[in-house]
Amino acid sequence: MIIIVEPSWKGHFHAPGNTSTIKVITRAFPNEEVRFFAEENHLAEVRQDAALQALPNLRFDTITLPKDHFGSPGTVSLSRLRDEFRMMRHALGAAPPGENVLLFLISTTATTPFAAAAASLMRRGRVGLQVGYHGNLSDAVGKRPRNPVMRALDTRAALLTRFPVSTRHLLLEEPIREELLRHFPALANRLDVLPLPVNEREASEQTPLDLSSGPVRVGLLGIGSQAKGGDTFLTLAAKLKARWGEAVEFDHIGSKAKSQPDAPEGVLLQPPSSHLPRSEFVERLRRLHYICLPMRRGYYDLSASGTMIDALTFGKPVLATRIPLTEHFFRAYGDIGELRDTGEELEQALDGILQRRDAARYAAQVENLREAAQSRRLDRLVPIYYRLAQDGFPGLLRA
């Protein structure tokens, strides 16, 4: 049996990525029963996908997430550890006694691997533990708790501890693996990479846009934060809007971090919103010509970008700053937009786009993104995950 647990995200957060990853795992092992445990509203979001619902070996189960530190996966909390242990015991109880189980944490907090390993030791039958990281690996290289108990349970400790349960860590992009090994070379034999898949249902609904006429629309997706370069986006938007007027439009499709400045009057099409239904998010995304990714080193050295996957899914060329993650995508897929070193250079690149209106190059970039999306379709990722699980946990699962 494969038991997938979402121990940290609620509602719509990461629902599209989780939906696609669950499909990959379930299709890779059609002879194994797969159970997905998640918070009630998150389950509702995931189950909107009819193709997921149709998988014959997949079942859904509701769990109650710990209340402590929601949205702060790096924070160590003994009460959260206790609640996570109970959660893992409950999830593992779905497997018949003595049956082999792969326990996959589709996301994790600092303490979840400790809770999962402890719960695994308390059941009869072999358990393999696969820990998926989505956005919290930066905690492994940042400031650590001074309290020795908390320090022993933080994200770095979770990565480096040799659990008595066979454990592997699953990363979402190759540059993340390279950066993590730069900090912790001892992890070389315990890290796997499964690239983030595109959402095939949404990818099939895309409509290419023409760059030759009308306003050029540029968007920032998700949380407008320092790490994502939200301030750079607003500066770029204000300058280009003043220079080009109605020939360019800027949209922030998502929410704003508290530290993020407000946009000047008249710069954005709509103010940021923290409660966007996926349907509205997608509708506004489809109207964009470009997605802006002025990301900074630091957080995104060890985190995948769902926004980049949205760019592949919907065929939207990107205006990106150069960091290892964005370099990886341009190196792998060719001309998929503009890659520059600074925000000022991005401004110059967009200024050039507005001057030239090179519709032929834009169409070629869209086509490159379509080909890139093909490489991250489920049928391409299923055999990758199958081999990772079979090699990492030999003999655990039925072929």
Side-chain angles (χ1 to χ4, degrees):
M1 178 179 283
I2 301 174
I3 295 175
I4 306 172
V5 182
E6 174 50 87
S8 53
W9 295 108
K10 304 178 182 180
H12 67 278
F13 291 100
H14 295 295
N18 280 358
T19 300
S20 296
T21 300
I22 294 166
K23 286 181 185 177
V24 169
I25 295 169
T26 305
R27 287 174 53 178
F29 290 94
N31 296 319
E32 292 285 351
E33 180 181 352
V34 180
R35 302 281 288 267
F36 178 52
F37 289 80
E39 179 263 345
E40 180 180 10
N41 293 323
H42 190 79
L43 274 185
E45 291 284 337
V46 167
R47 296 181 74 167
Q48 290 182 27
D49 191 308
L52 188 72
Q53 290 268 46
L55 292 169
N57 58 325
L58 176 63
R59 291 178 59 186
F60 303 90
D61 299 88
T62 302
I63 53 175
T64 301
L65 299 189
K67 296 179 181 179
D68 290 355
H69 309 294
F70 175 65
S72 302
T75 301
V76 176
S77 163
L78 293 180
S79 61
R80 183 166 65 185
L81 174 64
R82 177 200 62 211
D83 291 342
E84 287 175 337
F85 173 74
R86 292 172 179 167
M87 183 198 309
M88 297 302 155
R89 288 275 286 166
H90 172 70
L92 286 168
E99 182 170 336
N100 287 356
V101 173
L102 176 61
L103 177 58
F104 176 43
L105 309 181
I106 203 166
S107 71
T108 187
T109 72
T111 51
T112 320
F114 294 96
S120 298
L121 290 173
M122 297 187 69
R123 73 173 301 274
R124 287 191 290 121
R126 184 180 166 202
V127 178
L129 176 59
Q130 194 169 43
V131 184
Y133 287 88
H134 194 133
N136 57 322
L137 276 175
S138 295
D139 297 319
V141 298
K143 186 178 180 180
R144 303 187 71 190
R146 301 183 71 176
N147 182 306
V149 175
M150 303 302 176
R151 193 180 181 89
L153 296 169
D154 69 2
T155 304
R156 185 183 303 188
L159 279 169
L160 298 177
T161 296
R162 290 276 187 177
F163 294 112
V165 175
S166 178
T167 304
R168 299 194 66 81
H169 304 288
L170 190 66
L171 313 179
L172 299 176
E173 300 292 348
E174 184 58 36
I176 298 174
R177 180 181 181 276
E178 294 171 1
E179 178 66 11
L180 198 59
L181 287 178
R182 189 175 70 82
H183 292 278
F184 309 114
L187 289 174
N189 295 324
R190 287 186 275 159
L191 300 180
D192 298 315
V193 177
L194 180 71
L196 273 174
V198 297
N199 186 310
E200 293 184 3
R201 177 172 55 88
E202 293 177 342
S204 66
E205 299 169 355
Q206 61 169 281
T207 302
L209 300 179
D210 183 8
L211 193 72
S212 60
S213 62
V216 173
R217 301 182 187 92
V218 181
L220 181 75
L221 307 187
I223 300 175
S225 63
Q226 187 80 1
K228 191 170 282 190
D231 54 338
T232 301
F233 172 74
L234 291 180
T235 298
L236 180 151
K239 290 182 177 179
L240 271 294
K241 191 68 179 171
R243 192 176 304 151
W244 288 92
E246 294 182 358
V248 64
E249 294 177 349
F250 294 91
D251 197 5
H252 179 184
I253 311 173
S255 58
K256 182 175 79 70
K258 291 181 180 179
S259 59
Q260 175 80 354
D262 292 328
E265 184 70 26
V267 168
L268 297 181
L269 287 172
Q270 299 183 46
S273 171
S274 58
H275 300 289
L276 274 184
R278 182 68 184 179
S279 57
E280 181 181 345
F281 180 94
V282 168
E283 182 182 351
R284 288 166 62 182
L285 195 165
R286 285 201 186 101
R287 300 186 198 129
L288 298 178
H289 291 89
Y290 293 92
I291 291 174
C292 195
L293 291 165
M295 298 187 292
R296 292 183 170 91
R297 295 293 303 268
Y299 177 82
Y300 280 104
D301 286 349
L302 290 166
S303 176
S305 170
T307 299
M308 182 63 84
I309 302 306
D310 282 332
L312 269 60
T313 299
F314 291 92
K316 302 297 180 182
V318 298
L319 307 173
T321 46
R322 190 186 308 275
I323 62 173
L325 183 67
T326 54
E327 278 194 314
H328 169 73
F329 276 83
F330 274 80
R331 186 168 57 248
Y333 304 127
D335 183 9
I336 56 173
E338 302 287 347
L339 184 64
R340 297 290 186 269
D341 290 319
T342 66
E344 290 77 11
E345 291 180 6
L346 278 187
E347 178 193 335
Q348 295 167 11
L350 182 53
D351 201 44
I353 289 169
L354 289 160
Q355 289 173 3
R356 291 186 292 272
R357 296 277 186 157
D358 190 342
R361 184 188 174 203
Y362 182 80
Q365 291 172 338
V366 171
E367 186 59 33
N368 287 340
L369 286 161
R370 283 179 173 172
E371 293 180 10
Q374 290 296 317
S375 72
R376 288 168 180 254
R377 292 179 63 88
L378 301 187
D379 57 356
R380 301 286 289 273
L381 297 182
V382 163
I384 295 175
Y385 182 78
Y386 175 83
R387 183 47 51 201
L388 289 178
Q390 292 288 51
D391 291 348
F393 306 96
L396 183 70
L397 300 173
R398 292 182 285 266

